[in-house]
Amino acid sequence: MNIALIGYGKMGQIIERFAIERGHEIVLKISVDNQEDLTAANLKKADVAIDFSTPDAAINNIYACFDANVPLVVGTTGWYGQLQEIKNECLSRNNSLLYGSNFSIGVNLFFHINEVLAKVMNNYPAYDVQVEEIHHTQKLDSPSGTAMTLAEGIIEQLDRKNEWLNELNGSVSEDPLKADQLLIASERIENVPGTHTVIYSSEVDEIEIKHTAHNRAGFALGAVVAAEWLQHKQGFFNIADIFNFK
């Protein structure tokens, strides 16, 4: 495939390496230094685009790919407040978009295990649950998209939780956490690719499941695999659509 990389930072450079290793060609690289090159004419050179930019740039990048009719894989998070709007636009214009909070195979296995555990925990109300996430200080959004996906998976399966709240670097809300609220505790520490933990605690013990990324390679490879999967499809997809954990 010919691939356009939108967001050519550390992640974009690792994606480039995996794409080339898998026989693809990078025909466009967009960074903060050449935003003016994100045109329909340049995008049309690509069979698919991969976006790992910033939350404030993601929506414009998505619409640019829609205008060029180029399938797009979006790994950027922090824009999900406009998810329904983008889905409607994608489907009405017969475009193709695949998004995900995390493209790592291991993390998507973790998402599945998280939902299975949450469903089981409906039978054990003595356990309360929270999500903890740690990322590098360059990560702009909080909580991470991965942490939000974990929290939403718990809320979907665990009847006693209805919404999540985020605390960053130990900040404490003025209002105490309600019983139906799920805490996402976020920390930002230098040189941490990403650690996510789901903790169920009772008065007598604790159950913990954790995913720790050693580097960004798993995310990058997953993004290239997602682009390969999306190339000849039409519609609006989530990374979970690629996997079959049944």
Side-chain angles (χ1 to χ4, degrees):
M1 298 185 299
N2 290 334
I3 297 176
L5 288 180
I6 306 174
Y8 192 64
K10 292 179 181 178
M11 190 63 159
Q13 293 171 35
I14 302 172
I15 291 171
E16 178 181 35
R17 174 165 62 84
F18 278 112
I20 292 171
E21 286 177 1
R22 294 172 72 87
H24 308 303
E25 182 178 352
I26 307 301
V27 295
L28 180 64
K29 302 175 190 177
I30 300 296
S31 69
V32 294
D33 299 322
N34 68 332
Q35 288 288 323
E36 67 278 2
D37 291 336
L38 188 65
T39 64
N42 284 336
L43 283 168
K44 286 179 183 293
K45 300 173 185 176
D47 300 308
V48 64
I50 300 175
D51 179 285
F52 274 85
S53 56
T54 59
D56 59 343
I59 297 297
N60 286 337
N61 297 340
I62 290 169
Y63 276 107
C65 290
F66 285 173
D67 291 341
N69 199 31
V70 174
L72 175 64
V73 171
V74 186
T76 307
T77 59
W79 58 274
Y80 292 169
Q82 294 173 260
L83 190 65
Q84 190 60 50
E85 169 196 328
I86 294 298
K87 179 179 181 179
N88 294 342
E89 192 72 16
C90 178
L91 296 177
S92 68
R93 294 170 62 166
N94 296 318
N95 288 124
S96 301
L97 185 147
L98 185 152
Y99 76 98
S101 60
N102 198 306
F103 286 82
S104 160
I105 293 172
V107 166
N108 281 276
L109 284 165
F110 189 56
F111 287 156
H112 177 66
I113 294 167
N114 173 61
E115 292 194 16
V116 171
L117 179 56
K119 187 173 183 178
V120 169
M121 280 298 183
N122 276 308
N123 298 320
Y124 302 96
Y127 288 87
D128 199 9
V129 60
Q130 76 175 49
V131 176
E132 297 179 356
E133 61 105 343
I134 306 172
H135 278 87
H136 49 85
T137 52
Q138 289 76 40
K139 184 164 183 60
L140 300 178
D141 53 323
S142 171
S144 69
T146 301
M148 284 192 285
T149 300
L150 289 168
E152 287 162 3
I154 293 168
I155 290 167
E156 183 176 339
Q157 299 295 334
L158 190 65
D159 296 339
R160 57 185 179 270
K161 295 296 180 182
N162 293 318
E163 64 175 348
W164 57 262
L165 295 178
N166 182 231
E167 292 181 359
L168 175 62
N169 293 334
S171 63
V172 179
S173 172
E174 294 181 2
D175 300 318
L177 200 69
K178 297 177 183 177
D180 69 340
Q181 292 176 325
L182 171 64
L183 175 65
I184 304 177
S186 301
E187 287 189 65
R188 296 293 175 262
I189 300 173
E190 288 288 346
N191 301 318
V192 177
T195 300
H196 294 85
T197 310
V198 179
I199 303 168
Y200 286 86
S201 297
S202 73
E203 290 186 1
V204 297
D205 60 8
E206 192 166 275
I207 300 168
E208 179 179 300
I209 57 173
K210 177 187 285 188
H211 179 275
T212 303
H214 298 311
N215 51 54
R216 293 183 173 92
F219 313 140
L221 176 58
V224 177
V225 171
E228 293 169 349
W229 183 90
L230 183 65
Q231 184 184 6
H232 298 298
K233 293 180 174 65
Q234 188 175 80
F236 189 81
F237 305 99
N238 183 280
I239 183 63
D241 295 322
I242 293 179
F243 299 98
N244 181 9
F245 295 133
K246 295 180 181 179

